[in-house]
Amino acid sequence: MEDIKPITTNDTLPHPKIIAGPCSAESEEQVMESARRLSKCGIRLFRAGLWKPRTKPGGFEGVGTRGIAWLRRVKEETGMKVATEVATPRHVEEVLRAGFDMVWIGARTTANPFAMQEIADSLEGVDIPVLVKNPVSPDLELWIGALERLYNAGIRRMAAVHRGFSSLDKSIYRNRPMWGIPIELKRRIPEIEIFCDPSHIGGKRELIAPISQQAMDLGFEGLMIESHCTPDAAWSDAAQQVTPERLSEILCNTIIRDKSCEAQDLNELRSQIDKTDDELVELLAHRMKVARMIGSYKRRHNMPVLQRDRYEELLARRTDEAERLGMEREFMRTLMQAIHEESVRQQMDVLDEKCEPEKR
Ligand code: PEP
Ligand code: MN
């Protein structure tokens, strides 16, 4: 995909490229008020969802076709470019007829190859920029597959949007960033621009600034951020939206790294290390949670905490694996011993907890 072209946002701001606007278009007044204030802050590409894919029926599913005229008015009155999410060929047809400047594919659609193929077919021969959000599950191949379907339909102005991945594990994020996945996407398709969507990764407005900074540290090209004139009153994703003025403040305080400077490579590598460590800590916490569950199982079945055979087997398997992957056996042995020790302590903890009422 060497001939993929960059997305233009025409910001009056320095890099990164910015796309901002409310999660959903709710009313003409809300759309116009948000757009006017964003325009004043220098934003040139406005987003608003017209058709909202909701996990369960009964929620606000977007204003639909009715909102098209509102976004056209944004274009006419502010001169901003406008973008919305498309999930079916009918959406594509309506948006093209209305002369929108860009579309994005949502995370639930990227995950569905049939829907992606239908959208790609409906875009055949059309030169419009398309942003492709990552699929909800951490599946890089599905993400690349969606980009390939669009590429095969002739789309060249294309970018990927990293919006995090859903997970059952408890985390501070609404969708875990798993930075290694967009980094691997960039390694596989170096010419593709990557935007970060800190709103859907964080799920709360306090996380937008730090996640945006992390994305910039990793050299991402742009940001897609949800911004609403009255965030607390938003009909969808209220907790993660910020006012246009707060958005402007966040962007001013975000440090944009100098990509031409050699040390940048070092910063990016260090950021990757930090992200990996974040993930390691989260994984360890998950492992300890499972250990506690095992602890209560053993207690219910009157089993001892330590099963020596199981421990020996675990050590042997991991040290062999470490060697195969270019690490010292001894390093892995020490690491697994430390992890196992803490696991045993957690299991004992469960025993103590459960024993307490009997002690009294
Ligand atoms: C959105 O951008 O409002 C949206 C629904 O995003 P996602 O597809 O990433 O959940
Ligand atoms: Mn949203």
Side-chain angles (χ1 to χ4, degrees), residues 148-302:
E148 278 176 359
R149 286 177 202 276
L150 293 165
Y151 184 86
N152 292 342
I155 295 292
R156 291 295 178 271
R157 289 187 290 158
M158 201 158 63
V161 181
H162 169 227
R163 49 77 79 199
F165 302 90
S166 61
S167 140
L168 278 178
D169 291 340
K170 212 168 135 245
S171 146
I172 58 163
Y173 304 105
R174 176 178 176 194
N175 292 292
R176 293 176 61 175
M178 304 174 98
W179 296 95
I181 295 179
I183 289 167
E184 177 61 13
L185 174 70
K186 188 77 173 176
R187 195 188 65 78
R188 298 260 296 270
I189 315 176
E191 45 288 334
I192 198 142
E193 288 185 330
I194 304 194
F195 282 65
C196 176
D197 172 346
S199 313
H200 288 90
I201 292 178
K204 30 189 159 338
R205 48 187 79 110
E206 310 82 79
L207 289 180
I208 293 177
I211 297 169
S212 300
Q213 187 61 62
Q214 289 181 333
M216 292 304 101
D217 293 347
L218 286 171
F220 283 22
E221 281 78 10
L223 296 168
M224 180 194 259
I225 301 183
E226 288 189 339
S227 175
H228 189 291
C229 52
T230 46
D232 285 328
W235 297 1
S236 59
D237 291 352
Q240 69 191 34
Q241 302 205 57
V242 287
T243 60
E245 296 71 29
R246 174 66 192 134
L247 171 66
S248 173
E249 214 172 82
I250 292 173
L251 294 175
C252 287
N253 292 331
T254 303
I255 302 162
I256 313 304
R257 310 293 176 190
D258 178 3
K259 284 202 185 179
S260 60
C261 170
E262 265 181 42
Q264 177 61 18
D265 293 341
L266 189 61
N267 287 336
E268 284 180 22
L269 289 170
R270 285 187 176 143
S271 281
Q272 284 190 44
I273 289 279
D274 289 346
K275 308 295 170 323
T276 312
D277 288 351
D278 283 348
E279 290 185 22
L280 269 177
V281 173
E282 282 201 62
L283 280 174
L284 282 172
H286 176 72
R287 193 186 192 283
M288 295 309 157
K289 199 171 95 192
V290 178
R292 291 180 80 88
M293 284 156 66
I294 292 179
S296 51
Y297 178 95
K298 286 178 179 168
R299 179 172 188 273
R300 280 199 310 278
H301 294 83
N302 204 22

Side-chain angles (χ1 to χ4, degrees), residues 19 22-23 46-50 52 83-87 102-107 129-133 161 224:
I19 304 166
C23 176
F46 183 76
R47 62 146 283 161
L50 297 176
K52 302 301 297 178
T84 198
E85 172 173 344
V86 289
M102 190 183 289
V103 292
W104 81 81
I105 311 289
V130 184
L131 299 174
V132 182
K133 291 199 168 198
V161 181
M224 180 194 259

Side-chain angles (χ1 to χ4, degrees), residues 18-22 25 30-36 38-39 43-48 70-71 74 78 80-84 104 227:
I18 308 291
I19 304 166
Q30 169 255 1
V31 166
M32 290 313 298
E33 172 73 4
S34 304
R36 281 192 205 105
L38 282 165
S39 176
I43 304 296
R44 302 314 300 149
L45 181 49
F46 183 76
R47 62 146 283 161
W70 310 340
L71 293 196
V74 168
T78 67
M80 274 195 274
K81 292 185 177 187
V82 296
T84 198
W104 81 81
S227 175

